[in-house]
């Protein structure tokens, strides 16, 4: 908006929608590519409901059935790859709290997460 010198009303102009979508998608792809891939393949919709041309059977099945795994100090999705009929999923591993910790110094330097204590 600043580059284009747009006011908020410019967001409702249909002629700006593609530019806005492209810019926002590129920003997320560049800053958090793992999150973008999971958002498109798991969170927003399953790969099975909107497969990309390069989605293999492993990726499509993992998008529906992906286990959450704990690896100290974070919970991850995608640590295990799904393999079906010789086709291995390509969803990257990522952890929400790790992503937050990586972005926090830039966006929220005043907020800190308490570490998880490893209890026996």
């Amino acid at each position: 908006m600043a580059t284009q010198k747009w006011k908020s009303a410019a967001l409702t102009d249909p002629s700006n929608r593609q530019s806005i979508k492209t810019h926002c998608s590129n920003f997320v792809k560049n800053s958090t590519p793992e999150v973008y891939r999971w958002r498109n393949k798991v969170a927003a919709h399953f790969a099975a409901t909107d497969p990309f041309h390069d989605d293999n059977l492993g990726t499509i099945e993992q998008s529906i059935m992906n286990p959450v795994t704990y690896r100290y100090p974070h919970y991850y999705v995608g640590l295990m790859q799904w393999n079906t009929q010789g086709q291995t999923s390509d969803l990257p591993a990522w952890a929400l709290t790790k992503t937050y910790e990586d972005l926090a110094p830039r966006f929220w330097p005043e907020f800190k997460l308490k570490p998880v204590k490893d209890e026996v």
Side-chain angles (χ1 to χ4, degrees):
M1 289 178 66
T3 303
Q4 298 295 328
K5 298 183 170 109
W6 287 347
K7 302 290 184 205
S8 295
L11 298 175
T12 63
D13 183 340
S15 66
N16 295 332
R17 290 196 178 135
Q18 188 58 49
S19 176
I20 294 166
K21 181 178 180 177
T22 300
H23 175 78
C24 293
S25 293
N26 287 339
F27 176 80
V28 175
K29 285 180 196 176
N30 291 327
S31 61
T32 55
E34 301 87 357
V35 175
Y36 181 80
R37 182 95 171 123
W38 274 90
R39 179 254 178 227
N40 285 349
K41 293 293 153 199
V42 180
H45 50 74
F46 301 127
T49 65
D50 187 21
F52 289 167
H53 63 82
D54 62 344
D55 287 340
N56 63 39
L57 190 54
T59 298
I60 290 171
E61 287 188 348
Q62 185 182 12
S63 80
I64 299 167
M65 305 172 280
N66 59 75
V68 176
T69 309
Y70 182 73
R71 183 174 70 193
Y72 183 82
H74 302 105
Y75 284 95
Y76 285 84
V77 289
L79 278 181
M80 296 181 269
Q81 292 180 313
W82 201 269
N83 189 301
T84 301
Q85 298 178 8
Q87 297 180 5
T88 303
S89 64
D90 67 352
L91 293 173
W94 76 280
L96 178 62
T97 50
K98 179 171 183 344
T99 301
Y100 171 83
E101 290 169 352
D102 292 346
L103 294 173
R106 177 178 176 191
F107 295 106
W108 315 282
E110 66 279 9
F111 296 112
K112 302 287 182 214
L113 295 177
K114 294 180 182 176
V116 176
K117 295 184 180 178
D118 193 19
E119 297 183 27
V120 179

